[in-house]
Amino acid sequence: MIDRLRKRAVVFWREQHSALLVALLLTFAVATGFELVAWRRALATNDTIELLRTGHDIQIDADARSELLFARIAFLTKRDELDQSRGLLEALDRVGDTQTRARGHYLLANALLRVALAHIERSELEAAAPFVNLSKREYRRALQLDPEFWDAKYNFDVAARLVRDFPDFERTSGDELSADPKKLWTDIPGKPKGLP
């Protein structure tokens, strides 16, 4: 029985070994082609990210890879182009992983807070109010995605203190805490009361 199976295997190999080797070679060639395409795409992505990082304005489609979307958001928020950043952030929310999405919301929140602080420096409190509230919303979204994101926690606290320091920023609805105008120290739960 074993000899018969061995003889059949030998006969099969003699008749089919060329076809099997060709099929194996084609399989390896196709797999190598796919790997080369993925490698080239990764190189192109890295080149585009580097160009964006060095200040070149390169347009990115909304269906691009999440790394490219994040790099473009970083480029735009650095230049305070908030509307374009929001559109790309929505696309990033659809395709990005949790960490990348949290970092994207954090970048937008920072840009919004920079605009608010610029208005405050010019004593334009009414113009600053919406930017402070929007930045808080974006920090909150970043913290929902990554609760351990310390920088977002810190900056959220800064934005929250702005609301307490300037009561005109208070909205009539929402989850904002009311503050006594004479109290400049925060009443956030878990924070010690007393001298700063």
Side-chain angles (χ1 to χ4, degrees):
M1 178 77 171
I2 294 176
D3 285 336
R4 188 179 302 164
L5 289 174
R6 188 177 298 150
K7 287 179 185 178
R8 284 186 184 173
V10 169
V11 170
F12 177 77
W13 176 252
R14 283 184 189 152
E15 293 174 358
Q16 303 296 327
H17 76 280
S18 295
L20 289 174
L21 290 176
V22 167
L24 188 61
L25 182 63
L26 286 174
T27 301
F28 283 134
V30 169
T32 302
F34 281 125
E35 289 299 319
L36 284 173
V37 167
W39 176 70
R40 181 62 197 132
R41 188 177 299 144
L43 282 178
T45 299
N46 288 342
D47 291 344
T48 305
I49 289 171
E50 183 61 25
L51 288 171
L52 284 166
R53 192 184 67 73
T54 57
H56 294 83
D57 189 6
I58 298 174
Q59 296 298 320
I60 303 295
D61 291 331
D63 60 348
R65 297 175 63 172
S66 62
E67 298 88 0
L68 280 174
L69 291 169
F70 179 77
R72 179 70 177 163
I73 290 168
F75 174 86
L76 292 171
T77 55
K78 194 179 289 184
R79 286 150 183 81
D80 293 332
E81 297 183 28
L82 304 175
D83 292 333
Q84 289 181 344
S85 300
R86 278 193 193 103
L88 290 176
L89 189 55
E90 290 173 7
L92 181 64
D93 279 338
R94 288 191 297 271
V95 297
D97 62 276
T98 304
Q99 294 290 332
T100 306
R101 291 168 48 210
R103 299 306 185 263
H105 284 278
Y106 173 75
L107 290 176
L108 180 58
N110 284 346
L112 289 163
L113 191 57
R114 277 194 308 272
V115 171
L117 291 173
H119 283 297
I120 290 170
E121 287 175 0
R122 292 188 303 266
S123 297
E124 300 169 348
L125 298 182
E126 192 172 312
F131 290 103
V132 171
N133 289 321
L134 288 171
S135 70
K136 286 174 48 185
R137 185 182 71 185
E138 292 300 328
Y139 286 128
R140 198 174 291 120
R141 181 68 180 131
L143 289 170
Q144 287 171 346
L145 293 166
D146 184 4
E148 299 301 317
F149 193 179
W150 192 89
D151 290 342
K153 288 179 186 180
Y154 181 85
N155 289 1
F156 177 76
D157 188 47
V158 169
R161 287 174 191 245
L162 283 175
V163 170
R164 286 175 180 77
D165 292 348
F166 299 99
D168 294 338
F169 289 173
E170 292 281 347
R171 294 187 305 192
T172 56
S173 63
D175 60 351
E176 309 299 327
L177 298 173
S178 61
D180 181 3
K182 295 180 182 177
K183 280 187 178 178
L184 295 180
W185 187 249
T186 171
D187 288 333
I188 296 175
K191 298 289 182 185
K193 294 184 179 181
L195 295 174

